Amino acid sequence: MKTYSPETPFDDYSPPVARVLSCIQPTGAVHLGNYLGALQQWVNGQHQNDVFHGIVDLHAFTVTESPGVLGQNTLELAAMLFAVGLDPNVATVFVQSHVVEHTTLSWMMECTVSFGELSRMTQFKDKSQKREAEFVSAGLFTYPALQAADILLYDADEVPVGDDQKQHIEITRDIAMRFNHRFGETFVLPKAVTPALGARVMDLQEPTNKMSKSTTNESGCIYLLDDPASIMKKFKRAVTDSDNEVSYDRDAKPGIANLLDILSAATGQKPQELASSYSQYGALKVDAGEAVCAMMSPIQQRYTELMNDRAELQRLLRVGAEKARVVASATVDRAKNAVGFLPE
Ligand code: ATP
Ligand code: LTN
């Protein structure tokens, strides 16, 4: 890479690229929140930065109790990541369990985070409460340590995520700082980057909750593989409010603001500007639905093609894991040396 020096003319200078990492769990179908809050940013960032994207099956294992589902979900998610536009020749796309360094570093992270810190994580509180009578694994509790390992293994400068993940990036920084303080400079401190639009896509039926695959009412969640008829139906049924004036106000009019945000993310126009061009809720719902259908159609086509060639998908994932392992194993060696484990 070229670096700037007074002797180098400006047109020859390219700033150093950032190392970017983000991951997604293979826990079910990808929804519009995942796409607008994270995946779209991953795709846009791949030509500017050095990007690593993991399918975090070990994280999904925290809530997996039946055999056979994890591998199939992982394969389907890989097809979806390539279908939305991640280029396997540019981005490093890998499966977390294929890179064994994640579990080694995760244990070191567990020993660097406190019980109190983990107890304060809102995702753990939400997910353990939602599981009510179900089994709550210790892995669900120590989950942020594994996530910290994912990020620190790759010396990530930036982590593009939706709003809900900011706390996990904060705890990763705290763990990295503590480790560096105890054992000497080892880890790069990452920062979360959230998109201006789509940072939090809300449920169409309960617009004060984030759109989520663990929703109780399926019609509030748009899946990337939904057919156009069901996408339109879900938009037409979206919960709004009782007056009929289109304005962009997230607190007073969460349903309308969400529709405007979605339409804005799909068209590139500002939500406030869009608001002024509508006088009725019905037309806004139809336009938002149609814009989403148009955005999904090429993705769905590529997804089907990719799923028809399983051998090729697995080959792409092997290439990704090899590239990931090179960086990850160097970091684990550095961390072990810093602590002073006895070398083999
Ligand atoms: P869910 O709540 O649906 O189970 P999750 O947060 O567990 O979702 P992942 O599949 O691990 O889902 O998330 C992948 C990415 O999608 C993360 O970066 C997360 O911040 C982002 N994301 C998830 N839901 C939303 C949403 N409603 N709006 C914006 N971004 C979201
Ligand atoms: N916890 C995240 C998924 C996740 C992740 C990561 C995101 C696991 N490891 C590393 C960014 C970086 C979630 O539930 N969305």
Side-chain angles (χ1 to χ4, degrees), residues 40 63 81 116 123 159 187-188 191 237 258 263 274 309:
Q40 218 180 25
V63 290
L81 295 187
Q123 183 169 297
V159 186
F187 297 121
V188 172
K191 67 168 191 293
R237 285 195 189 157
N258 191 36
L263 184 59
L274 287 167
D309 194 351

Side-chain angles (χ1 to χ4, degrees), residues 21-25 27 34 38 42 52-56 59-60 96 102 123 127 143-144 146-152 156 158-162 164-165 168-169 172 210 213:
L21 170 127
S22 195
C23 302
I24 180 163
Q25 302 188 65
T27 37
N34 302 137
W42 299 7
F52 284 69
H53 293 299
I55 300 174
V56 286
H59 276 104
Q96 186 184 34
H102 285 259
Q123 183 169 297
K127 292 210 168 165
Y143 178 115
L146 180 58
Q147 182 160 350
D150 299 339
I151 298 169
L152 300 179
E158 294 178 7
V159 186
V161 280
D164 60 314
Q165 291 299 310
H168 281 153
I169 315 306
T172 300
K210 75 160 193 163
K213 58 198 151 226

Side-chain angles (χ1 to χ4, degrees), residues 252-321:
K253 291 173 148 295
I256 292 297
N258 191 36
L259 292 172
L260 288 165
D261 277 334
I262 293 172
L263 184 59
S264 163
T267 60
Q269 276 178 273
K270 292 213 171 77
Q272 292 84 352
E273 283 167 18
L274 287 167
S276 60
S277 53
Y278 287 94
S279 56
Q280 285 190 326
Y281 288 178
L284 171 62
K285 289 180 177 180
V286 169
D287 285 3
E290 283 177 354
V292 169
C293 288
M295 192 163 65
M296 293 307 120
S297 159
I299 296 177
Q300 295 182 350
Q301 213 176 326
R302 281 196 297 273
Y303 176 85
T304 311
E305 283 162 20
L306 283 156
M307 279 307 283
N308 286 332
D309 194 351
R310 184 183 171 131
E312 175 60 4
L313 266 178
Q314 295 217 241
R315 187 190 69 81
L316 295 176
L317 292 174
R318 272 196 300 277
V319 172

